[in-house]
Amino acid sequence: MTTSPSQHKKNSAQKQTALTAQEQQKQQEFQEEALKHINALYNYALHLTMNPDDAHDLVQETYLKAYRFFDSFEKGTNCKAWLFKILKNNYINKFRKNAREPGKVDYDLIKDFYHSIKDSQSDHGQDDVFFRSLMHDEVYQALNSLPEEFKEVIQLCDIEGFTYEEIANMVESPIGTVRSRLYRGRKLLRNKLNDFAKKHGYNTDD
Amino acid sequence: MTDITGFNHITYELTRTMNCTEAQALMSAAVDGELTLKEQQIFEKHILECEPCRLEFNEAKKTKSIIREKIVRFKAPQSLVNTILKLSSSPQ
Ligand SMILES: [Zn+2]
């Protein structure tokens, strides 16, 4: 991808000719390796910030940093895990160290979204009343109500499919901690989901 | 658990029983396919014999699949994709 908007045409045409073959190769590799994870990164950023604008900025900064340091990315290792780690560090620096509060949590937007899709995606072929009785937004709420350390490992494991080793590296804790957080987190989650299922008249005690 | 200090180690690992606390410590890794072969064997042996742990294991598996299937994935806005395409196609 080397096309640019017309207003930048002259400028970037000059720059393009100045690009070394090495730089061109880096661009191509970066776009092939890193760009395909943009949706996953955006979702992760949304989960962390709970705000679309902050998520947008976080992902943009992550890619900027990743591109700058792409030479230090070890070829053959998991690029997605590498990007997630950069995003997480960026998030911590931005929102925790400077004690700047993330933007207002946009619950309404998220709720509207979940209502608008309702159970249109529930054709999962699982013949399970408990499963089917749960709405998307309820599962989302249940996950979000968990303490951060549990929510985080469940996201990384169940939604993003990272290995324990990758998760341990991202959350900077031993694998044993990841194991026990997942165990406890899933138990807490199960209780919250049971509450929702009960509301729908599904008896979880049988 | 008694310390067997290496004595008859292999036979012991394959025949010993695991208690519920140990099984719980392996529960999440069992759900996620992160157990070693040896751990897998003793864990499976335990849940065959222990109903509460078996039920808990099934619940944990189901909880994982609910998360996987019910959490909606957002698509990154096209404006964001475009910005990133641009930044990675100009020299830094
Ligand atoms: Zn047991």
Side-chain angles (χ1 to χ4, degrees):
Chain A
M1 182 81 177
T2 49
T3 49
S4 327
S6 52
Q7 66 265 32
H8 292 139
K9 208 172 240 169
K10 205 176 137 196
N11 194 16
S12 68
Q14 285 167 345
K15 281 180 180 171
Q16 291 297 348
T17 52
L19 274 187
T20 64
Q22 203 182 7
E23 274 174 309
Q24 278 176 20
Q25 200 197 342
K26 177 184 165 183
Q27 279 177 12
Q28 200 190 335
E29 276 177 15
F30 184 78
Q31 292 185 352
E32 278 166 13
E33 276 270 355
L35 225 54
K36 62 184 172 201
H37 303 297
I38 190 167
N39 286 333
L41 279 167
Y42 182 68
N43 277 277
Y44 185 47
L46 263 184
H47 276 285
L48 288 173
T49 62
M50 301 285 283
N51 178 291
D53 293 335
D54 288 334
H56 188 288
D57 291 351
L58 205 50
V59 172
Q60 191 174 320
E61 287 158 17
T62 300
Y63 272 103
L64 194 60
K65 207 168 272 179
Y67 187 61
R68 208 167 283 157
F69 294 101
F70 193 53
D71 294 333
S72 69
F73 167 66
E74 256 179 79
K75 302 267 145 55
T77 62
N78 190 338
C79 187
K80 185 176 164 187
W82 182 70
L83 291 166
F84 267 62
K85 175 95 178 166
I86 296 174
L87 190 141
K88 176 77 191 295
N89 286 341
N90 222 37
Y91 170 74
I92 292 170
N93 287 331
K94 213 172 142 127
F95 294 115
R96 298 211 184 143
K97 272 192 193 143
N98 302 332
R100 176 167 111 61
E101 286 292 306
K104 192 177 151 289
V105 173
D106 209 340
Y107 281 115
D108 286 344
L109 180 134
I110 289 158
K111 217 171 164 221
D112 285 350
F113 180 82
Y114 277 93
H115 277 301
S116 71
I117 54 154
K118 275 286 182 232
D119 261 12
S120 59
Q121 301 189 339
S122 68
D123 187 24
H124 43 67
Q126 271 215 28
D127 191 21
D128 186 308
V129 187
F130 175 75
F131 193 103
R132 274 181 308 181
S133 73
L134 289 162
M135 299 291 177
H136 290 96
D137 64 326
E138 291 170 340
V139 178
Y140 185 82
Q141 271 180 50
L143 180 62
N144 264 318
S145 70
L146 297 183
E148 177 60 33
E149 73 259 40
F150 299 129
K151 188 176 98 173
E152 183 176 41
V153 289
I154 290 178
Q155 258 173 34
L156 294 173
C157 180
D158 294 347
I159 304 177
E160 300 303 339
F162 288 116
T163 65
Y164 283 14
E165 200 184 333
E166 287 163 345
I167 297 169
N169 178 35
M170 270 181 249
V171 304
E172 290 173 356
S173 304
I175 286 181
T177 307
V178 173
R179 277 188 180 194
S180 71
R181 280 186 194 167
L182 278 167
Y183 174 71
R184 290 164 64 200
R186 284 192 183 126
K187 261 189 127 162
L188 284 171
L189 194 61
R190 182 68 182 183
N191 290 335
K192 311 238 179 208
L193 294 175
N194 279 347
D195 293 342
F196 282 119
K198 271 186 190 139
K199 266 200 337 214
H200 301 305
Y202 179 73
N203 184 7
T204 53
D205 301 326
D206 54 5
Chain B
M1 279 284 108
T2 50
D3 178 19
I4 50 124
T5 59
F7 174 73
N8 204 6
H9 190 71
I10 292 162
T11 318
Y12 177 80
E13 282 297 335
L14 291 175
T15 56
R16 81 186 180 108
T17 51
M18 170 182 261
N19 67 36
C20 293
T21 311
E22 290 172 301
Q24 282 164 0
L26 297 182
M27 194 77 73
S28 59
V31 170
D32 298 316
E34 291 260 0
L35 292 180
T36 64
L37 191 61
K38 203 187 271 174
E39 284 173 331
Q40 181 83 26
Q41 285 169 337
I42 46 177
F43 180 81
E44 275 172 9
K45 190 163 180 280
H46 181 83
I47 60 165
L48 266 178
E49 293 158 356
C50 176
E51 204 194 358
C53 284
R54 186 165 62 244
L55 292 177
E56 203 180 324
F57 178 58
N58 288 336
E59 294 239 311
K61 277 198 293 193
K62 204 188 275 182
T63 305
K64 181 183 171 96
S65 78
I66 286 170
I67 288 293
R68 286 172 73 120
E69 309 254 342
K70 295 266 178 172
I71 291 289
V72 173
R73 315 279 287 146
F74 293 84
K75 244 186 128 210
Q78 193 55 44
S79 60
L80 178 61
V81 178
N82 291 343
T83 308
I84 290 158
L85 270 173
K86 239 182 278 168
L87 73 86
S88 62
S89 56
S90 57
Q92 295 294 297

